Amino acid sequence: MSRQNSARADGKKVSSELFTLTYGALVAQLVKDFESDEAVNKKLDEMGYNIGVRLIEDLIAKGNVGRCHDLRETADIIAKLGFKMFLGVTPVVTKWSTAADEFSLILENNPLAEFVELPSGHENLNYSNILCGVLRGALEMVQMEVEISFVQDALRGDDTTELRVKFIKRLEDAIPAGEE
Amino acid sequence: MADTDSVFEFLHMQIVEYIHDVHGKESENNATTKLEEMGFTIGQRLAERFTKETARFKDDLDVMKYICKEFWTALYKKQIDNLRTNHQGVFVLQDNRFRLLTQISDTEEFIVPAAKYLSLPCGLIRGALANLGIPSIVGAEITTMPMCKFTINIQKH
C-alpha cells in the first residue's frame, strides 16, 4: 500500500490548502450575496479586522516579540514573522516614503489566491482584501492606526501583488476591542 | 513553517458568524444549508487533490477508513477515534476532541450554539465522499464538548 506516502505526508501543505479553499468558498459566497465588488471588498476587510484583533495575540504569544520602536521594525515583523507564521510566505518590504511612514509589501505568490482565476466582470474585486483588514485589526491592537490598500494584484493582471501600508497615527489610549 | 491552524479557525468562525447573520435571519436552516454547501465544494476539491496518487479504493469501508485516517489527519491533525458501521450504509465517526470545538467552552450550555460550527465540516465530509463516488447524507451531534459524532448515511448508488 503506497497510500501513506502520497501528498498527505506533507500535512502543513494540506492544511494550507484547506485554508485557501475555504477562503475561496467564502469569497464566492460573498460575490453571490453582494451586488458590487466594493461591498465584497468592504465585507472582507471587516471580517479580516475581526480576525486581526485576535490573531495579534497569537503572534505575540508564539513569536516572542517585544515592542517595535519604529515603523521599519514593525514592517519587518509583519513580513518576516506574521506572514511567515500564518501564511508561510515572506513578502518583500520596499518602496519606503521619504518620511518613512509608508511602505509596500510585495507578495511574490499569494497563498490565498493559489487556485484562483478572476472571472471577467469583477475588475474591482480585491480578492485578498481580507489581508488589509487583518493587518489593520492587528496593528490597532498595538496602538497603531494604519491605512492599507491593494495597489497591485497579480490576479488582475499586474506583475505582482502589492499592499500599501500607510501609518496614520499612534493611538494614545488602548481602545477596547469591539467588533465591527 | 506556516501555521495556518489558528488562521483557519479564526476564518471559520468569521464565516459561520457571517452566514448566520445574512442567511440565518428567516430560519436557522438556511444558514446551515449554506455552510453545508460551502463545505461540500471545499471537500470535493480537497479530496480531488489529496487522492491524486492514492491507490484505488476497494469498497465503501476502505474509503471510510481513508477519511478517518488520512483525510482527518490532514485537516485536523488527528485521526477519528472511533469508526462504527451497521454494514448497511450507516457509518458513525466519533472524534473525542474535535478541533473546531476545542476553542469553545466545554460546559453544557454551549452544546446547542456550538452545533453551528459543525455544518461546514459535515459538508466537507459529504463533498469528499461525493468526489470518491459515494453520495451520502452527513449529520453531526455533540453529546459532551468537545466530543462529536458524525453520522454518514450512504445513499444507494
Side-chain angles (χ1 to χ4, degrees):
Chain A
M1 283 274 180
S2 64
R3 200 164 286 160
Q4 274 79 355
N5 49 31
S6 54
R8 266 140 286 104
D10 191 358
K12 293 279 184 194
K13 186 162 181 299
V14 161
S15 67
S16 83
E17 280 180 12
L18 169 68
F19 176 65
T20 305
L21 291 171
T22 306
Y23 183 68
L26 169 67
V27 179
Q29 185 61 45
L30 291 176
V31 168
K32 269 187 231 163
D33 290 345
F34 291 96
E35 303 214 337
S36 72
D37 289 348
E38 284 78 11
V40 175
N41 291 343
K42 186 163 171 283
K43 189 70 204 174
L44 283 171
D45 181 83
E46 220 173 87
M47 293 172 95
Y49 176 87
N50 292 337
I51 294 174
V53 297
R54 294 175 188 164
L55 208 59
I56 185 75
E57 282 188 46
D58 223 40
L59 177 85
I60 293 174
K62 287 183 189 155
N64 193 23
V65 279
R67 219 163 251 285
C68 295
H69 298 290
D70 58 20
L71 197 63
R72 282 182 193 273
E73 210 177 317
T74 311
D76 230 39
I77 298 220
I78 292 172
K80 295 201 182 117
L81 198 69
F83 271 83
K84 184 83 191 140
M85 184 184 287
F86 298 118
L87 291 177
V89 292
T90 311
V92 176
V93 181
T94 181
K95 296 191 188 169
W96 282 93
S97 63
T98 40
D101 63 346
E102 265 186 69
F103 62 93
S104 286
L105 293 165
I106 311 267
L107 279 162
E108 289 294 333
N109 47 4
N110 177 0
L112 286 180
E114 204 181 336
F115 310 118
V116 181
E117 235 176 78
L118 276 192
S120 60
H122 289 287
E123 281 71 25
N124 294 321
L125 181 68
N126 283 331
Y127 183 84
S128 312
N129 213 41
I130 200 159
L131 291 177
C132 298
V134 171
L135 283 174
R136 189 166 61 84
L139 289 173
E140 192 175 306
M141 291 302 109
V142 288
Q143 276 84 53
M144 287 172 72
E145 192 181 319
V146 291
E147 214 174 77
I148 299 165
S149 56
F150 271 94
V151 287
Q152 288 197 76
D153 191 344
L155 278 181
R156 289 195 306 227
D158 297 324
D159 293 337
T160 51
T161 300
E162 178 180 350
L163 273 165
R164 190 81 184 147
V165 183
K166 185 178 180 195
F167 177 76
I168 306 291
K169 64 166 193 256
R170 184 164 294 278
L171 297 163
E172 282 309 325
D173 282 314
I175 292 166
E179 291 196 339
E180 281 197 355
Chain B
M1 269 292 142
D3 176 12
T4 46
D5 298 3
S6 48
V7 206
F8 173 73
E9 276 164 34
F10 289 140
L11 179 68
H12 178 248
M13 283 180 205
Q14 286 297 311
I15 292 176
V16 171
E17 195 181 304
Y18 162 75
I19 296 287
H20 273 268
D21 236 32
V22 171
H23 297 277
K25 282 209 188 78
E26 284 146 45
S27 84
E28 192 102 325
N29 252 336
N30 279 347
T32 310
T33 314
K34 268 272 153 7
L35 285 168
E36 223 264 349
E37 276 172 18
M38 284 174 87
F40 184 85
T41 55
I42 302 164
Q44 248 187 334
R45 288 167 189 174
L46 279 175
E48 176 97 12
R49 296 183 59 78
F50 289 9
T51 56
K52 232 175 9 191
E53 287 151 33
T54 308
R56 188 174 285 275
F57 295 108
K58 286 198 299 282
D59 50 21
D60 290 357
L61 184 63
D62 200 26
V63 174
M64 221 49 90
K65 281 185 190 157
Y66 167 78
I67 295 282
C68 293
K69 288 183 183 160
E70 275 116 281
F71 194 70
W72 218 257
T73 309
L75 300 190
Y76 306 118
K77 307 274 183 316
K78 71 186 283 293
Q79 295 187 5
I80 279 286
D81 295 293
N82 189 318
L83 166 67
R84 265 176 301 169
T85 175
N86 66 354
H87 296 288
Q88 289 172 10
V90 180
F91 291 84
V92 180
L93 278 57
Q94 183 181 318
D95 191 332
N96 293 339
R97 207 180 138 71
F98 186 52
R99 206 182 87 199
L100 296 179
L101 297 177
T102 51
Q103 303 293 336
I104 305 169
S105 161
D106 61 2
T107 49
E108 205 158 305
E109 57 192 303
F110 282 96
I111 288 181
V112 175
K116 60 183 178 187
Y117 292 94
L118 297 177
S119 317
L120 195 136
C122 279
L124 261 172
I125 302 175
R126 196 166 68 84
L129 287 174
N131 190 275
L132 301 172
I134 304 179
S136 62
I137 296 172
V138 181
E141 58 166 346
I142 308 169
T143 32
T144 46
M145 294 280 282
M147 189 222 271
C148 113
K149 277 182 194 165
F150 294 92
T151 307
I152 301 169
N153 252 299
I154 294 183
Q155 307 302 100
K156 291 272 177 294
H157 64 288

